[in-house]
Amino acid sequence: MRKVMVALLVLFLTGAMVFASGAGQQGAGSKTTVVLWHSMGGKVGEALNKLINDFNASQDKIVVEGQFQGSYDDMIAKIRATPQGSGPDVMQLYDIGSRWAVDSGYPLKMQDFINRDKYNISDYEPNILAYYTLDGVLHSMPFNCSSPVILYNKEALAKTGLDPKTAFATMDACRETGKRLKEVTGLSGSFTNYSWVFEQLVSIQGKDLLDNGNGRKGRATKIVGTDALLNIFTKLRAIYNEPSNILFGKGTTESKIQFANGSTMGYIVDSCSVYSDATAAAGGKFSVGFAPVPKVNPNDTGGVSVGGGSLWLMDNGDSKRADAAWEFVKYVTSAEKQAQWSMDTGYLPIRRSSVDLPAYQNYLKNVNPELIIAIEALRNSKPAYAGSVMGVFTKARVIIENEVETMANNPSVTPQQVVDRIVSQINEEITLYNRTN
């Protein structure tokens, strides 16, 4: 009998423990968990974690879990392999993934939440919002935003006697400035082989790269900016023929290293977000200056568009999680948090009022005074120059940079041949994408 009583007691206690454990989990689970997939590592990843922690501490109903997924392309592959409803609630994706994201059917429309809540976005930079607006609908919220600039060695340029406002005003001026830098200081220039910059130079000419309103009034079916591309690559051929310009393959990785070294490069073309890293790497050997990305032709009246990435609300069939994710998006794009994000990373704030905050004014004055160049370049642009979108942008950029590299290394390859090859290959990729998506 005693053994039976002991067994019953053990069973009762075990059941009580299980019940207590379950109750604890239920209590913890009373908060709505929002999963954020992102591709922000290193310093910017730490800044993102800071924003996440701030949000979680600011209220007691939602918990955001940030999960690093590797590169943007790695994340897209994981999204595709994940059953809908089992993936993240928020996806941080690069700008050129926008057309694919819309076509995939995975995300919800940011515009629907804005309209439902009558959320005021008048303070958000219109020329930044414009990039993520397709068919008149804002699909995602801009977040890690940048624009293209010339980075130059201030002390080296001062020795040439050139004014930075004119030294990089056009592509022809960049070529001549490179020659002058070489003559006076021994430093060269590097007009990088970076497809994003070439896309910007199409917009600066006031032209569309793609049909259907640059892919914004419907899917793009072909490249239409052939004349604009030819203008760019004709100027680029002259720059690459000039011995004072050094090309370090594709992209900007090596040119940034050489620029920061202070003994090789006098200027490079890159994103405004690299200022703090370039300045830190320079280690006081010289000061880093910004100049707007150059015009292709002196009379160009177009503008630049934003680069970087945005936040997408994902359709997981759970309105409670979607609403919680929306609260997080609003929080991290508030004026104060955008100022904090910009100061921590060098990205552009997407709110106009962020720039007016005392802390941010101090940042512009004492920490990153050059960023105002990039801010004003975007503000002086127009939504009409928001840039192009297509579902094969990653492949398109590889094609462009491969062909430009071929031209740079082979004097017999003409700018027209480069344009023809780029158009043929990208049009083929666009056609295939439109057939299969």
Side-chain angles (χ1 to χ4, degrees), residues 34 88-92 105-114 116 139-141 310-316 321-330:
V34 169
D89 303 293
V90 185
M91 173 178 65
Q92 180 259 337
Y106 293 129
L108 299 164
K109 295 177 182 177
M110 195 68 63
Q111 191 73 54
D112 288 343
F113 290 80
I114 292 170
R116 182 196 69 186
H139 285 269
S140 62
M141 189 64 81
S310 64
L311 300 176
W312 297 75
L313 298 178
M314 306 300 284
D315 186 0
N316 285 319
R321 284 162 57 191
D323 287 342
W326 167 232
E327 291 302 315
F328 174 70
V329 169
K330 290 188 290 185

Side-chain angles (χ1 to χ4, degrees), residues 173-208:
C174 287
R175 185 188 72 241
E176 294 304 313
T177 295
K179 291 170 62 176
R180 182 66 177 159
L181 279 166
K182 189 70 172 179
E183 293 168 357
V184 176
T185 70
L187 301 180
S188 299
S190 182
F191 205 101
T192 48
N193 178 9
Y194 189 13
S195 178
W196 180 51
V197 172
F198 306 146
E199 296 152 27
Q200 299 281 350
L201 295 177
V202 172
S203 295
I204 282 175
Q205 296 176 74
K207 304 292 185 180
D208 285 349

Side-chain angles (χ1 to χ4, degrees), residues 209-211 221-226 229 422-423 426-427 430:
L209 178 65
L210 304 169
D211 66 351
T221 65
K222 61 182 179 181
I223 289 180
V224 295
T226 52
L229 289 174
I422 286 172
V423 170
I426 293 179
N427 283 352
I430 291 174

Side-chain angles (χ1 to χ4, degrees), residues 171 174-176 179 189-195 197-198 201 232-252 255 267 269 400-411 413 415 418:
M171 292 184 73
C174 287
R175 185 188 72 241
E176 294 304 313
K179 291 170 62 176
S190 182
F191 205 101
T192 48
N193 178 9
Y194 189 13
S195 178
V197 172
F198 306 146
L201 295 177
I232 294 165
F233 298 138
T234 299
K235 302 287 186 182
L236 199 61
R237 160 58 81 193
I239 291 173
Y240 288 167
N241 283 345
E242 171 55 50
S244 62
N245 186 84
I246 301 177
L247 183 63
F248 297 98
K250 293 171 284 189
T252 64
S255 62
Y267 82 86
V269 190
I400 290 170
E401 291 177 4
N402 282 346
E403 293 301 333
V404 169
E405 185 176 47
T406 298
M407 180 184 73
N409 293 330
N410 186 348
V413 176
V418 171

Side-chain angles (χ1 to χ4, degrees), residues 275-276 339 342-347 358-369 371:
Y275 175 83
S276 58
S342 179
M343 291 186 289
D344 287 345
T345 63
Y347 283 116
Y360 200 79
Q361 285 293 309
N362 180 68
Y363 169 75
L364 288 178
K365 180 179 179 180
N366 299 308
V367 180
N368 189 350
L371 194 60

Side-chain angles (χ1 to χ4, degrees), residues 55-96:
F55 174 76
N56 289 340
S58 71
Q59 42 73 50
D60 59 3
K61 295 181 180 180
I62 305 167
V63 175
V64 174
E65 295 179 359
Q67 298 178 2
F68 177 71
Q69 299 297 320
S71 72
Y72 290 117
D73 292 330
D74 289 340
M75 181 167 56
I76 288 175
K78 291 176 184 178
I79 289 284
R80 284 173 165 163
T82 301
Q84 193 154 2
S86 302
D89 303 293
V90 185
M91 173 178 65
Q92 180 259 337
L93 183 66
Y94 56 0
D95 52 346
I96 61 173

